[in-house]
Amino acid sequence: MTSAPSIMESRRLGLCLVISAPSGAGKSTLVGSLRRQFPHFAYSVSCTTREPRGSEKDGVHYHFISREEFVSRRDSGRFAEWAEVHGNLYGTPKGPVQKHLTAGRDVLFDIDVQGALQLKGVFPQGLFVFILPPSREELERRLRGRGTDTAEVIARRLGNALGELRQAVHFDYLIVNGDLDLAADELRAVYLAGRARTENRPDMLSALLAQWGA
Ligand code: ADP
Ligand code: 5GP
């Protein structure tokens, strides 16, 4: 006799967790912490025309491509969203995301505000999180402290932060990255609650009801 399927094995839909923030707010730090806690996450590796920074690896942190190549991929509809951010082009390749979601894998996106709002149109059921810096002063301190960007790049990113913060109201969740542990806890809570949404567990109830023969 075959036993009824475990409810934990029932089909789960992959969910999109989309995280945006002004540069320097600590998004990469928080995304890194979430990925360590949930290694099953699929990460959407973006294409960009910017130069690799520090120890960044092609195909891992980004696909580093020329502007010409980017425009050609964009014009043939290969991006789920794209945007020009701080003078460089960034885009989310469509194919891998669709593959992960269909396979029930959750996908994490680290993208800018313009891109996140475009994705809201594509994946309205996604979780859209905006990371806030605790203050302007602290944002500037973090940008300088990171030590990876020139003074000119830092000034541009700080200037762009205002426009980005004005868009934060369109996101589902606001997390202040003051105390890192607290911010990481809040992000984890948002993800776990999203995962437990009824719509993301379409077969769970029927798998349980089947144990009553229903
Ligand atoms: P982003 O990806 O948003 O541009 P990073 O994650 O690179 O930002 O963080 C910018 C800098 O701020 C890094 O040097 C990082 O170590 C530091 N940082 C991140 N979160 C915090 C925090 N909660 N408190 C203090 N420094 C932080
Ligand atoms: P950085 O150059 O610091 O890695 O990233 C600059 C900004 O571009 C960040 O806000 C980052 O989230 C965003 N970004 C990275 N990949 C993408 C993408 O595929 N699409 C969009 N719209 N923004 C992206």
mmCIF file of all heavy atoms in Angstrom, residues 19-23 27 45-48 50 53 56 62 81-83 85-86 88 90-93 110-116 118 146 157 164, ligand 2:
data_model
loop_
_atom_site.group_PDB
_atom_site.id
_atom_site.type_symbol
_atom_site.label_atom_id
_atom_site.label_comp_id
_atom_site.label_asym_id
_atom_site.label_seq_id
_atom_site.Cartn_x
_atom_site.Cartn_y
_atom_site.Cartn_z
ATOM 1 N N ILE A 19 14.586 42.885 -3.185
ATOM 2 C CA ILE A 19 15.126 43.789 -2.176
ATOM 3 C C ILE A 19 15.798 44.978 -2.849
ATOM 4 O O ILE A 19 16.664 44.802 -3.707
ATOM 5 C CB ILE A 19 16.129 43.041 -1.270
ATOM 6 C CG1 ILE A 19 15.460 41.789 -0.703
ATOM 7 C CG2 ILE A 19 16.628 43.939 -0.156
ATOM 8 C CD1 ILE A 19 16.300 40.992 0.236
ATOM 9 N N SER A 20 15.378 46.178 -2.446
ATOM 10 C CA SER A 20 15.973 47.401 -2.976
ATOM 11 C C SER A 20 16.420 48.297 -1.840
ATOM 12 O O SER A 20 15.918 48.180 -0.707
ATOM 13 C CB SER A 20 14.966 48.182 -3.818
ATOM 14 O OG SER A 20 14.674 47.489 -4.996
ATOM 15 N N ALA A 21 17.318 49.223 -2.149
ATOM 16 C CA ALA A 21 17.810 50.171 -1.141
ATOM 17 C C ALA A 21 18.683 51.190 -1.840
ATOM 18 O O ALA A 21 19.237 50.896 -2.901
ATOM 19 C CB ALA A 21 18.654 49.436 -0.104
ATOM 20 N N PRO A 22 18.851 52.351 -1.243
ATOM 21 C CA PRO A 22 19.870 53.256 -1.785
ATOM 22 C C PRO A 22 21.237 52.608 -1.598
ATOM 23 O O PRO A 22 21.438 51.885 -0.609
ATOM 24 C CB PRO A 22 19.753 54.510 -0.914
ATOM 25 C CG PRO A 22 18.549 54.338 -0.075
ATOM 26 C CD PRO A 22 18.182 52.903 -0.063
ATOM 27 N N SER A 23 22.152 52.850 -2.516
ATOM 28 C CA SER A 23 23.487 52.266 -2.427
ATOM 29 C C SER A 23 24.122 52.630 -1.080
ATOM 30 O O SER A 23 24.067 53.776 -0.646
ATOM 31 C CB SER A 23 24.329 52.814 -3.577
ATOM 32 O OG SER A 23 25.593 52.225 -3.557
ATOM 33 N N LYS A 27 22.285 46.629 1.757
ATOM 34 C CA LYS A 27 21.501 45.574 1.093
ATOM 35 C C LYS A 27 22.341 44.319 0.838
ATOM 36 O O LYS A 27 21.895 43.211 1.147
ATOM 37 C CB LYS A 27 20.952 46.146 -0.215
ATOM 38 C CG LYS A 27 20.061 45.217 -0.974
ATOM 39 C CD LYS A 27 19.457 45.942 -2.144
ATOM 40 C CE LYS A 27 20.517 46.779 -2.825
ATOM 41 N NZ LYS A 27 20.203 47.117 -4.205
ATOM 42 N N VAL A 45 21.129 36.356 -10.877
ATOM 43 C CA VAL A 45 22.395 37.016 -11.250
ATOM 44 C C VAL A 45 22.101 37.976 -12.400
ATOM 45 O O VAL A 45 21.679 37.558 -13.479
ATOM 46 C CB VAL A 45 23.471 35.982 -11.649
ATOM 47 C CG1 VAL A 45 24.771 36.681 -12.030
ATOM 48 C CG2 VAL A 45 23.708 34.982 -10.519
ATOM 49 N N SER A 46 22.293 39.254 -12.134
ATOM 50 C CA SER A 46 21.969 40.283 -13.123
ATOM 51 C C SER A 46 23.079 40.449 -14.152
ATOM 52 O O SER A 46 24.224 40.085 -13.906
ATOM 53 C CB SER A 46 21.798 41.628 -12.418
ATOM 54 O OG SER A 46 20.766 41.572 -11.485
ATOM 55 N N CYS A 47 22.710 41.057 -15.265
ATOM 56 C CA CYS A 47 23.716 41.505 -16.228
ATOM 57 C C CYS A 47 23.998 42.973 -15.945
ATOM 58 O O CYS A 47 23.076 43.728 -15.601
ATOM 59 C CB CYS A 47 23.180 41.399 -17.654
ATOM 60 S SG CYS A 47 22.942 39.688 -18.178
ATOM 61 N N THR A 48 25.241 43.371 -16.082
ATOM 62 C CA THR A 48 25.568 44.788 -15.918
ATOM 63 C C THR A 48 26.686 45.201 -16.857
ATOM 64 O O THR A 48 27.524 44.373 -17.234
ATOM 65 C CB THR A 48 25.967 45.139 -14.470
ATOM 66 O OG1 THR A 48 26.204 46.552 -14.391
ATOM 67 C CG2 THR A 48 27.218 44.412 -14.017
ATOM 68 N N ARG A 50 28.675 47.634 -15.790
ATOM 69 C CA ARG A 50 29.744 48.232 -14.989
ATOM 70 C C ARG A 50 30.923 47.276 -14.829
ATOM 71 O O ARG A 50 30.786 46.073 -15.025
ATOM 72 C CB ARG A 50 29.190 48.727 -13.637
ATOM 73 C CG ARG A 50 29.272 47.778 -12.499
ATOM 74 C CD ARG A 50 29.343 48.510 -11.161
ATOM 75 N NE ARG A 50 28.861 47.670 -10.057
ATOM 76 C CZ ARG A 50 29.514 46.619 -9.586
ATOM 77 N NH1 ARG A 50 30.635 46.194 -10.133
ATOM 78 N NH2 ARG A 50 28.991 45.943 -8.564
ATOM 79 N N ARG A 53 34.074 44.929 -9.368
ATOM 80 C CA ARG A 53 34.629 45.656 -8.222
ATOM 81 C C ARG A 53 35.289 44.639 -7.301
ATOM 82 O O ARG A 53 34.717 43.571 -7.078
ATOM 83 C CB ARG A 53 33.433 46.285 -7.510
ATOM 84 C CG ARG A 53 33.720 47.481 -6.686
ATOM 85 C CD ARG A 53 32.467 48.331 -6.482
ATOM 86 N NE ARG A 53 31.354 47.649 -5.826
ATOM 87 C CZ ARG A 53 30.098 48.092 -5.860
ATOM 88 N NH1 ARG A 53 29.790 49.159 -6.531
ATOM 89 N NH2 ARG A 53 29.158 47.443 -5.230
ATOM 90 N N GLU A 56 34.725 40.638 -7.061
ATOM 91 C CA GLU A 56 33.535 40.168 -7.780
ATOM 92 C C GLU A 56 33.904 39.245 -8.943
ATOM 93 O O GLU A 56 34.857 39.503 -9.666
ATOM 94 C CB GLU A 56 32.753 41.374 -8.332
ATOM 95 C CG GLU A 56 31.989 42.118 -7.263
ATOM 96 C CD GLU A 56 31.231 43.309 -7.819
ATOM 97 O OE1 GLU A 56 31.623 43.845 -8.877
ATOM 98 O OE2 GLU A 56 30.255 43.724 -7.197
ATOM 99 N N TYR A 62 27.668 39.084 -10.881
ATOM 100 C CA TYR A 62 26.997 39.651 -12.054
ATOM 101 C C TYR A 62 27.508 38.915 -13.284
ATOM 102 O O TYR A 62 28.561 38.278 -13.247
ATOM 103 C CB TYR A 62 27.395 41.132 -12.244
ATOM 104 C CG TYR A 62 26.715 42.121 -11.333
ATOM 105 C CD1 TYR A 62 27.415 42.687 -10.259
ATOM 106 C CD2 TYR A 62 25.406 42.513 -11.547
ATOM 107 C CE1 TYR A 62 26.799 43.623 -9.419
ATOM 108 C CE2 TYR A 62 24.786 43.441 -10.713
ATOM 109 C CZ TYR A 62 25.487 43.991 -9.653
ATOM 110 O OH TYR A 62 24.864 44.904 -8.842
ATOM 111 N N GLU A 81 13.292 42.873 -16.415
ATOM 112 C CA GLU A 81 13.311 44.310 -16.151
ATOM 113 C C GLU A 81 14.716 44.786 -16.408
ATOM 114 O O GLU A 81 15.649 43.997 -16.389
ATOM 115 C CB GLU A 81 12.889 44.631 -14.704
ATOM 116 C CG GLU A 81 13.783 44.061 -13.600
ATOM 117 C CD GLU A 81 15.144 44.734 -13.463
ATOM 118 O OE1 GLU A 81 15.238 45.944 -13.653
ATOM 119 O OE2 GLU A 81 16.126 44.017 -13.192
ATOM 120 N N TRP A 82 14.871 46.074 -16.624
ATOM 121 C CA TRP A 82 16.221 46.640 -16.758
ATOM 122 C C TRP A 82 16.155 48.106 -16.363
ATOM 123 O O TRP A 82 15.071 48.711 -16.358
ATOM 124 C CB TRP A 82 16.755 46.479 -18.180
ATOM 125 C CG TRP A 82 16.071 47.365 -19.170
ATOM 126 C CD1 TRP A 82 14.912 47.099 -19.836
ATOM 127 C CD2 TRP A 82 16.468 48.684 -19.552
ATOM 128 N NE1 TRP A 82 14.555 48.167 -20.614
ATOM 129 C CE2 TRP A 82 15.505 49.151 -20.460
ATOM 130 C CE3 TRP A 82 17.543 49.516 -19.225
ATOM 131 C CZ2 TRP A 82 15.574 50.423 -21.041
ATOM 132 C CZ3 TRP A 82 17.627 50.781 -19.812
ATOM 133 C CH2 TRP A 82 16.639 51.213 -20.710
ATOM 134 N N ALA A 83 17.301 48.666 -16.022
ATOM 135 C CA ALA A 83 17.341 50.081 -15.650
ATOM 136 C C ALA A 83 18.759 50.606 -15.784
ATOM 137 O O ALA A 83 19.718 49.832 -15.743
ATOM 138 C CB ALA A 83 16.858 50.258 -14.211
ATOM 139 N N VAL A 85 21.350 52.629 -13.767
ATOM 140 C CA VAL A 85 21.547 53.016 -12.365
ATOM 141 C C VAL A 85 22.955 53.581 -12.223
ATOM 142 O O VAL A 85 23.929 52.917 -12.591
ATOM 143 C CB VAL A 85 21.404 51.791 -11.410
ATOM 144 C CG1 VAL A 85 21.364 52.245 -9.958
ATOM 145 C CG2 VAL A 85 20.172 50.963 -11.740
ATOM 146 N N HIS A 86 23.054 54.773 -11.672
ATOM 147 C CA HIS A 86 24.358 55.426 -11.454
ATOM 148 C C HIS A 86 25.226 55.364 -12.726
ATOM 149 O O HIS A 86 26.428 55.095 -12.666
ATOM 150 C CB HIS A 86 25.120 54.772 -10.293
ATOM 151 C CG HIS A 86 24.298 54.521 -9.061
ATOM 152 N ND1 HIS A 86 23.539 55.499 -8.461
ATOM 153 C CD2 HIS A 86 24.108 53.408 -8.317
ATOM 154 C CE1 HIS A 86 22.927 55.000 -7.397
ATOM 155 N NE2 HIS A 86 23.247 53.730 -7.301
ATOM 156 N N ASN A 88 25.269 53.142 -15.176
ATOM 157 C CA ASN A 88 25.490 51.823 -15.794
ATOM 158 C C ASN A 88 24.153 51.127 -16.030
ATOM 159 O O ASN A 88 23.170 51.430 -15.362
ATOM 160 C CB ASN A 88 26.346 50.942 -14.868
ATOM 161 C CG ASN A 88 27.734 51.504 -14.686
ATOM 162 O OD1 ASN A 88 28.487 51.667 -15.643
ATOM 163 N ND2 ASN A 88 28.072 51.846 -13.455
ATOM 164 N N TYR A 90 21.747 47.784 -15.940
ATOM 165 C CA TYR A 90 21.565 46.552 -15.165
ATOM 166 C C TYR A 90 20.278 45.887 -15.637
ATOM 167 O O TYR A 90 19.288 46.570 -15.890
ATOM 168 C CB TYR A 90 21.392 46.852 -13.673
ATOM 169 C CG TYR A 90 22.589 47.465 -12.988
ATOM 170 C CD1 TYR A 90 22.815 48.835 -13.055
ATOM 171 C CD2 TYR A 90 23.474 46.685 -12.259
ATOM 172 C CE1 TYR A 90 23.910 49.405 -12.408
ATOM 173 C CE2 TYR A 90 24.568 47.248 -11.614
ATOM 174 C CZ TYR A 90 24.778 48.608 -11.698
ATOM 175 O OH TYR A 90 25.856 49.177 -11.058
ATOM 176 N N GLY A 91 20.272 44.568 -15.720
ATOM 177 C CA GLY A 91 19.045 43.881 -16.118
ATOM 178 C C GLY A 91 18.968 42.483 -15.543
ATOM 179 O O GLY A 91 19.983 41.835 -15.284
ATOM 180 N N THR A 92 17.724 42.025 -15.343
ATOM 181 C CA THR A 92 17.473 40.683 -14.806
ATOM 182 C C THR A 92 17.158 39.727 -15.949
ATOM 183 O O THR A 92 16.125 39.889 -16.603
ATOM 184 C CB THR A 92 16.245 40.714 -13.857
ATOM 185 O OG1 THR A 92 16.514 41.625 -12.797
ATOM 186 C CG2 THR A 92 15.933 39.346 -13.300
ATOM 187 N N PRO A 93 18.017 38.732 -16.200
ATOM 188 C CA PRO A 93 17.699 37.769 -17.263
ATOM 189 C C PRO A 93 16.422 36.994 -16.928
ATOM 190 O O PRO A 93 16.260 36.525 -15.798
ATOM 191 C CB PRO A 93 18.915 36.839 -17.281
ATOM 192 C CG PRO A 93 19.996 37.581 -16.568
ATOM 193 C CD PRO A 93 19.312 38.470 -15.571
ATOM 194 N N ASP A 110 18.341 41.340 -5.983
ATOM 195 C CA ASP A 110 18.961 42.528 -5.394
ATOM 196 C C ASP A 110 19.021 43.545 -6.519
ATOM 197 O O ASP A 110 19.941 43.525 -7.332
ATOM 198 C CB ASP A 110 20.358 42.115 -4.886
ATOM 199 C CG ASP A 110 21.213 43.299 -4.477
ATOM 200 O OD1 ASP A 110 20.885 44.452 -4.827
ATOM 201 O OD2 ASP A 110 22.235 43.060 -3.811
ATOM 202 N N ILE A 111 17.984 44.370 -6.617
ATOM 203 C CA ILE A 111 17.904 45.277 -7.770
ATOM 204 C C ILE A 111 17.487 46.676 -7.335
ATOM 205 O O ILE A 111 17.041 46.867 -6.201
ATOM 206 C CB ILE A 111 16.935 44.744 -8.858
ATOM 207 C CG1 ILE A 111 15.517 44.637 -8.335
ATOM 208 C CG2 ILE A 111 17.402 43.406 -9.382
ATOM 209 C CD1 ILE A 111 14.519 44.230 -9.413
ATOM 210 N N ASP A 112 17.625 47.631 -8.226
ATOM 211 C CA ASP A 112 17.326 49.010 -7.858
ATOM 212 C C ASP A 112 15.809 49.250 -7.865
ATOM 213 O O ASP A 112 15.029 48.399 -8.292
ATOM 214 C CB ASP A 112 18.066 49.985 -8.784
ATOM 215 C CG ASP A 112 17.191 50.452 -9.915
ATOM 216 O OD1 ASP A 112 16.668 49.588 -10.641
ATOM 217 O OD2 ASP A 112 16.990 51.669 -10.058
ATOM 218 N N VAL A 113 15.449 50.445 -7.388
ATOM 219 C CA VAL A 113 14.033 50.788 -7.221
ATOM 220 C C VAL A 113 13.251 50.732 -8.537
ATOM 221 O O VAL A 113 12.156 50.169 -8.595
ATOM 222 C CB VAL A 113 13.958 52.216 -6.638
ATOM 223 C CG1 VAL A 113 12.540 52.699 -6.539
ATOM 224 C CG2 VAL A 113 14.621 52.265 -5.293
ATOM 225 N N GLN A 114 13.820 51.303 -9.588
ATOM 226 C CA GLN A 114 13.107 51.314 -10.890
ATOM 227 C C GLN A 114 12.837 49.889 -11.356
ATOM 228 O O GLN A 114 11.749 49.573 -11.831
ATOM 229 C CB GLN A 114 13.946 51.983 -11.973
ATOM 230 C CG GLN A 114 14.560 53.307 -11.632
ATOM 231 C CD GLN A 114 15.665 53.654 -12.642
ATOM 232 O OE1 GLN A 114 15.373 53.920 -13.801
ATOM 233 N NE2 GLN A 114 16.917 53.657 -12.211
ATOM 234 N N GLY A 115 13.839 49.030 -11.199
ATOM 235 C CA GLY A 115 13.697 47.636 -11.620
ATOM 236 C C GLY A 115 12.676 46.907 -10.758
ATOM 237 O O GLY A 115 11.858 46.124 -11.259
ATOM 238 N N ALA A 116 12.706 47.170 -9.443
ATOM 239 C CA ALA A 116 11.775 46.497 -8.524
ATOM 240 C C ALA A 116 10.336 46.853 -8.904
ATOM 241 O O ALA A 116 9.453 45.986 -8.929
ATOM 242 C CB ALA A 116 12.066 46.902 -7.082
ATOM 243 N N GLN A 118 9.233 47.711 -11.793
ATOM 244 C CA GLN A 118 8.882 46.998 -13.047
ATOM 245 C C GLN A 118 8.525 45.550 -12.731
ATOM 246 O O GLN A 118 7.570 44.992 -13.266
ATOM 247 C CB GLN A 118 10.049 46.986 -14.028
ATOM 248 C CG GLN A 118 10.388 48.325 -14.652
ATOM 249 C CD GLN A 118 11.671 48.210 -15.486
ATOM 250 O OE1 GLN A 118 11.789 47.375 -16.376
ATOM 251 N NE2 GLN A 118 12.632 49.056 -15.183
ATOM 252 N N ARG A 146 33.104 51.708 2.954
ATOM 253 C CA ARG A 146 33.211 50.500 2.137
ATOM 254 C C ARG A 146 34.524 50.486 1.358
ATOM 255 O O ARG A 146 35.091 49.437 1.097
ATOM 256 C CB ARG A 146 32.013 50.435 1.185
ATOM 257 C CG ARG A 146 31.893 49.145 0.456
ATOM 258 C CD ARG A 146 30.499 48.952 -0.089
ATOM 259 N NE ARG A 146 30.133 49.962 -1.083
ATOM 260 C CZ ARG A 146 28.940 50.004 -1.690
ATOM 261 N NH1 ARG A 146 28.026 49.124 -1.388
ATOM 262 N NH2 ARG A 146 28.682 50.936 -2.573
ATOM 263 N N ARG A 157 26.022 58.503 -5.875
ATOM 264 C CA ARG A 157 25.114 57.546 -5.221
ATOM 265 C C ARG A 157 24.338 58.206 -4.084
ATOM 266 O O ARG A 157 23.150 57.944 -3.896
ATOM 267 C CB ARG A 157 25.909 56.342 -4.718
ATOM 268 C CG ARG A 157 26.374 55.516 -5.896
ATOM 269 C CD ARG A 157 27.162 54.291 -5.563
ATOM 270 N NE ARG A 157 27.450 53.590 -6.815
ATOM 271 C CZ ARG A 157 27.391 52.293 -6.994
ATOM 272 N NH1 ARG A 157 27.084 51.501 -6.003
ATOM 273 N NH2 ARG A 157 27.638 51.758 -8.166
ATOM 274 N N GLU A 164 15.447 57.694 -4.769
ATOM 275 C CA GLU A 164 15.134 56.292 -4.463
ATOM 276 C C GLU A 164 14.255 56.198 -3.211
ATOM 277 O O GLU A 164 13.272 55.445 -3.178
ATOM 278 C CB GLU A 164 16.443 55.504 -4.273
ATOM 279 C CG GLU A 164 17.213 55.374 -5.581
ATOM 280 C CD GLU A 164 18.650 54.918 -5.401
ATOM 281 O OE1 GLU A 164 19.203 55.034 -4.293
ATOM 282 O OE2 GLU A 164 19.235 54.466 -6.390
HETATM 283 P P1 5GP B 2 26.155 47.943 -7.655
HETATM 284 O O1 5GP B 2 26.809 48.595 -8.822
HETATM 285 O O2 5GP B 2 26.457 48.652 -6.354
HETATM 286 O O3 5GP B 2 26.396 46.463 -7.585
HETATM 287 O O4 5GP B 2 24.581 48.081 -7.868
HETATM 288 C C1 5GP B 2 24.015 49.343 -8.091
HETATM 289 C C2 5GP B 2 22.516 49.233 -8.035
HETATM 290 O O5 5GP B 2 22.039 48.443 -9.142
HETATM 291 C C3 5GP B 2 22.024 48.505 -6.779
HETATM 292 O O6 5GP B 2 20.896 49.216 -6.285
HETATM 293 C C4 5GP B 2 21.625 47.141 -7.294
HETATM 294 O O7 5GP B 2 20.604 46.577 -6.509
HETATM 295 C C5 5GP B 2 21.102 47.514 -8.666
HETATM 296 N N1 5GP B 2 20.987 46.350 -9.549
HETATM 297 C C6 5GP B 2 21.749 45.236 -9.586
HETATM 298 N N2 5GP B 2 21.293 44.373 -10.508
HETATM 299 C C7 5GP B 2 20.200 44.949 -11.058
HETATM 300 C C8 5GP B 2 19.263 44.534 -12.056
HETATM 301 O O8 5GP B 2 19.320 43.458 -12.648
HETATM 302 N N3 5GP B 2 18.275 45.404 -12.353
HETATM 303 C C9 5GP B 2 18.147 46.614 -11.757
HETATM 304 N N4 5GP B 2 17.116 47.371 -12.101
HETATM 305 N N5 5GP B 2 18.996 47.027 -10.807
HETATM 306 C C10 5GP B 2 20.012 46.206 -10.463
#
